[in-house]
Amino acid sequence: MCGSGGVGGRTGTLTTQYSVQEAAPATEAEGWAGSRRAPRKHRLLRWSATTLSVLILAAAGTGYVYYRHLNSQIQHADLNLGDNKVAGPTPNAAGQTPLNILVIGSDARDNEENQKLGGARETFGSTPLADVQMLLHVSADRSNMSVVSMPRDTLVKIPKCTDPDDGKVYAASEGRVMTNQSLGHGGPGCTVATWQELTGIHIDHFMMVDFSGVVSMADAIGGVPVCVDANILSRDSQGHGSGLKLKKGTHPVKGVQALQWLRTRYGFEDGSDLARAKAQHMYMNSMVRQLRENATLSSPNKLRKLAEKATEAITVDPDLGSVKELYDLSNELRKVEPARITMTTMPNRYVGARVEPTEDAEQLFRLVREDIALDGKDAKKATAEKSEETTADPAAAKDEIGILVQNGTRTSTLAAASGRASTVAGLLTGKGYTKASSDRSASLSEARTLVRYPSAELEGDARAVAKSLGIPMTSVKKSTDVSGVTLVVGADWREGTTYKAPKQDDTTPKTAEALNGADESACMHVNPGFTW
């Protein structure tokens, strides 16, 4: 094994996929990763850069003037440009809530530095694409972290978005289009809206970085150890390849060589984007290890340089718009040990030259929505007896309880089941809840049927409604996003008039290609055709 370089945590370095030595077909407009399929690996890269910036900012400020200088470099953009909102998660027993951050890697070629790093000249100044998209989920108790990346060529429906700068309205896409186009519909807030529509996951923040910023931050931190199981030269007879040349074993890489590692597809395993993703994950894990363990990063000059590069490179939502807010976020992220970090790729299947989410993708999204650790090491949940405890708030008479029924049966692969809200509202009316009504304006996405209530005085009513339909008390949730008792008919009840709580599989799908952040033994396999 070639693991001495360390592959500690997986949240460390956001580096670009572009190498100045990469030879790509002139006809292909490439993103960070080069080939069209690169996205699934690239997104993971971006997360590192942003995390890196967050981890360093605190140590960089050495006075109010410098603090203001760093703040002035951070760019801001609205969080959500869509019309729809996704309900935030219900706090756990300790009052804690999960944290969801969307990390976006832009392929913007709006300056010479970005142009030099990749892309044909005719793409200069073109509408940027969100070629890297990764959702970072930190559990409510801060014990674990999950990262879900989405291939940039995933086919999705982009919702209507409004550009906050000029008021331009971008209509919802007709049919499905590539998800990376969302960034051009008013900014990163439309990418956030697209994710929320697809996954049903409430997103708290976003961070966006272009690839010139990623490169500068990678250089600022020094070398990152990587491992290959044989000598490698990533270059074929047609000139394809990153130009990466390494001897067998573990070596620190930085600068152009680090970019070559992250960009390499020709030479690793079968030459696919899957192989490139593995290499990128290894690099990020190793980077986190360096940040946690390398004492040289305590150097004020190095930290200051990194803080400069980080604040120059990122665009964030207003609630992350200062060094202090980024520092506070870094403290939350640093609570998670590498062994409790799990990186995944959204399960997908080909549709022609593009991909679409599979049923396993919905399973992965549900685990994130319900704050279930992807490494399977969650502490034991409260017992069923505990969850069935009665509330101190007694229920009102059935005919006095107002209930709004919403259709939440839409999933990433299925349209909403027609008429479900009306059907279930009628079912409740038949059981004596004469004030039950359906909300025909909402088309939500909930994997499980839920009963929500806004305040303690309605908890008893909500529990009574759930009991009448056989919905378990674990699916009764307090939420400030509703104004009264609200029943959301989920994808687990798409037909019929009898609810059967499904037996849930809380394991991470194998197709998500999970990688643990503490895996230090990983070493990339070199294709024999690219060795020397």
Side-chain angles (χ1 to χ4, degrees), residues 141-325:
D141 62 5
R142 304 302 187 255
S143 66
N144 65 87
M145 186 185 301
S146 304
V147 180
V148 179
S149 67
M150 185 189 300
R152 69 179 176 182
D153 53 359
T154 300
L155 296 175
V156 299
K157 290 183 178 179
I158 298 177
K160 184 185 83 171
C161 291
T162 303
D163 190 323
D165 294 330
D166 58 14
K168 180 177 179 179
V169 176
Y170 294 83
S173 62
E174 295 183 6
R176 299 188 302 176
V177 298
M178 284 174 59
T179 184
N180 65 351
Q181 296 179 25
S182 60
L183 185 59
H185 290 215
C190 194
T191 306
V192 169
T194 301
W195 265 79
Q196 291 195 154
E197 289 281 322
L198 175 68
T199 67
I201 298 169
H202 174 81
I203 295 176
D204 302 285
H205 301 291
F206 77 82
M207 292 180 171
M208 182 173 72
V209 185
D210 64 27
F211 48 69
S212 67
V214 171
V215 172
S216 64
M217 287 189 286
D219 288 344
I221 62 172
V224 174
V226 296
C227 175
V228 288
D229 67 359
N231 296 348
I232 182 173
L233 175 58
S234 177
R235 187 74 74 199
D236 67 11
S237 58
Q238 284 76 46
H240 300 136
S242 69
L244 177 70
K245 186 175 183 179
L246 287 175
K247 291 184 178 180
K248 176 181 178 180
T250 299
H251 310 275
V253 294
K254 61 180 180 178
V256 170
Q257 196 173 49
L259 297 181
Q260 290 173 335
W261 175 274
L262 294 164
R263 176 66 184 87
T264 294
R265 185 160 58 90
Y266 293 94
F268 285 154
E269 300 188 352
D270 60 358
S272 70
D273 278 332
L274 178 59
R276 173 157 48 193
K278 289 183 181 179
Q280 293 170 350
H281 296 176
M282 290 179 191
Y283 182 95
M284 289 185 287
N285 287 343
S286 187
M287 172 65 75
V288 172
R289 184 179 177 86
Q290 292 296 99
L291 289 173
R292 286 177 174 270
E293 299 180 5
N294 192 337
T296 62
L297 288 180
S298 63
S299 162
N301 288 335
K302 286 191 175 184
L303 293 175
R304 187 174 295 111
K305 180 180 179 182
L306 191 50
E308 285 281 352
K309 298 301 182 182
T311 52
E312 287 175 0
I314 61 174
T315 299
V316 297
D317 63 275
D319 287 341
L320 282 183
S322 72
V323 171
K324 180 184 182 303
E325 287 156 346

Side-chain angles (χ1 to χ4, degrees), residues 42-108:
H42 303 4
R43 9 200 129 210
L44 298 173
L45 289 185
R46 266 34 137 104
W47 146 241
S48 30
T50 49
T51 301
L52 175 59
S53 70
V54 163
L55 294 176
I56 301 303
L57 287 175
T62 56
Y64 182 63
V65 174
Y66 188 61
Y67 175 80
R68 290 186 61 187
H69 163 68
L70 291 179
N71 277 342
S72 69
Q73 295 192 138
I74 302 172
Q75 299 183 65
H76 312 140
D78 287 2
L79 175 63
N80 185 355
L81 304 186
D83 292 339
N84 297 327
K85 295 183 179 180
V86 172
T90 302
N92 63 15
Q96 304 164 307
T97 55
L99 184 62
N100 294 311
I101 306 166
L102 186 65
V103 178
I104 303 168
S106 165
D107 77 341

Side-chain angles (χ1 to χ4, degrees), residues 430-483:
K431 290 179 176 290
Y433 294 95
T434 55
K435 290 187 177 181
S437 62
S438 61
D439 179 2
R440 299 183 181 180
S441 65
S443 177
L444 308 177
S445 178
E446 288 288 349
R448 296 175 63 186
T449 297
L450 300 172
V451 180
R452 294 190 171 114
Y453 62 95
S455 54
E457 58 267 23
L458 292 179
E459 182 179 0
D461 294 354
R463 284 176 170 261
V465 170
K467 187 174 182 179
S468 294
L469 295 175
I471 298 170
M473 294 303 115
T474 52
S475 294
V476 179
K477 307 285 187 181
K478 182 178 179 182
S479 172
T480 57
D481 293 306
V482 297
S483 57

